[in-house]
């Protein structure tokens, strides 16, 4: 009986790992936005990445053209890509197309929001209001779910004791 129990234990664990918390689902026109998150920033950091999933359930293309939030001086849409073996990042001045029937994922290592001139560090567990603007769907208010610093984050000094 033991191997069977082990199998069930593994299956249960796998199910847990495979199902990330999906607290938020925001609809804007034909767009469905889920998993809006960022990472906690070390005390001195002025920029952070923002990540989310956008699904276009309509028949027409839309375009993410910008964003804003009280917590950041500026929100840009960036693309990260390997260029001749070097990781480079560029700003998408014309925004990011969301084709009909497609799901676009902004995630570490690829498309992302660049949250710049942060007014205060992002802390794990924070829910930060973030407004995104789409060409057709218009402005959408989302809640940025701040996760832990994570293994892929840049090397950080601990300045968490520093407060104004
Ligand atoms: Cu960037």
């Amino acid at each position: 009986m033991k191997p069977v129990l082990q199998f069930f234990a593994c299956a249960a664990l796998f199910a847990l790992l495979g199902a990330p918390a999906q607290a938020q689902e925001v609809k804007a026109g034909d767009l469905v936005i889920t998993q809006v998150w960022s990472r906690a920033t070390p005390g001195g950091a002025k920029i952070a990445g923002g990540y989310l999933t956008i699904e276009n359930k309509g028949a027409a293309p839309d375009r993410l053209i910008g964003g804003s939030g009280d917590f950041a001086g500026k929100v840009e849409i960036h693309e990260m890509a390997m260029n001749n073996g070097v990781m480079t990042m560029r700003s998408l001045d014309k925004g990011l197309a969301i084709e009909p029937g497609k799901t676009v994922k902004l995630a570490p290592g690829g498309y992302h929001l660049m949250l710049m001139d942060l007014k205060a560090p992002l802390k794990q567990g924070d829910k930060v209001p973030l407004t995104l603007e789409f060409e057709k769907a218009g402005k959408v208010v989302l809640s940025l779910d701040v996760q832990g610093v994570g293994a892929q984050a840049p090397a950080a000094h601990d300045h968490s004791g520093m407060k104004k």
Side-chain angles (χ1 to χ4, degrees), residues 47-49 76-80 89-90 112-115:
I47 62 167
E76 290 186 351
I77 304 152
H78 280 191
E79 177 182 30
M80 203 176 248
M89 189 158 74
R90 68 189 183 100
H112 57 278
L113 300 172
M114 203 86 247
L115 314 168

Side-chain angles (χ1 to χ4, degrees), residues 5-68:
L5 280 172
Q6 271 175 351
F7 170 78
F8 281 115
C10 284
L13 183 64
F14 188 77
L16 274 175
L17 292 173
Q22 198 167 312
Q24 190 178 209
E25 182 178 293
V26 176
K27 292 193 172 80
D30 291 325
L31 303 180
V32 179
I33 301 165
T34 52
Q35 294 182 18
V36 188
W37 66 283
S38 185
R39 290 199 188 103
T41 56
K46 285 288 173 206
I47 62 167
Y51 312 108
L52 66 153
T53 301
I54 308 163
E55 185 181 359
N56 187 346
K57 294 194 164 182
D62 204 338
R63 187 171 281 272
L64 175 61
I65 51 175
S68 61

Side-chain angles (χ1 to χ4, degrees), residues 78-152:
H78 280 191
E79 177 182 30
M80 203 176 248
M82 287 297 266
N83 236 329
N84 296 323
V86 182
M87 200 60 140
T88 57
M89 189 158 74
R90 68 189 183 100
S91 168
L92 299 177
D93 297 330
K94 289 176 185 162
L96 177 59
I98 318 289
E99 299 296 338
K102 294 271 163 62
T103 297
V104 176
K105 200 165 188 166
L106 285 79
Y111 296 123
H112 57 278
L113 300 172
M114 203 86 247
L115 314 168
M116 303 164 89
D117 298 330
L118 295 181
K119 308 275 164 68
L122 298 176
K123 295 200 188 72
Q124 186 169 3
D126 279 358
K127 309 266 185 213
V128 185
L130 169 74
T131 303
L132 290 184
E133 191 171 357
F134 294 90
E135 209 165 64
K136 292 204 180 73
K139 286 192 174 171
V140 187
V141 180
L142 302 161
S143 172
L144 193 67
D145 202 349
V146 182
Q147 314 267 329
V149 170
Q152 290 181 64

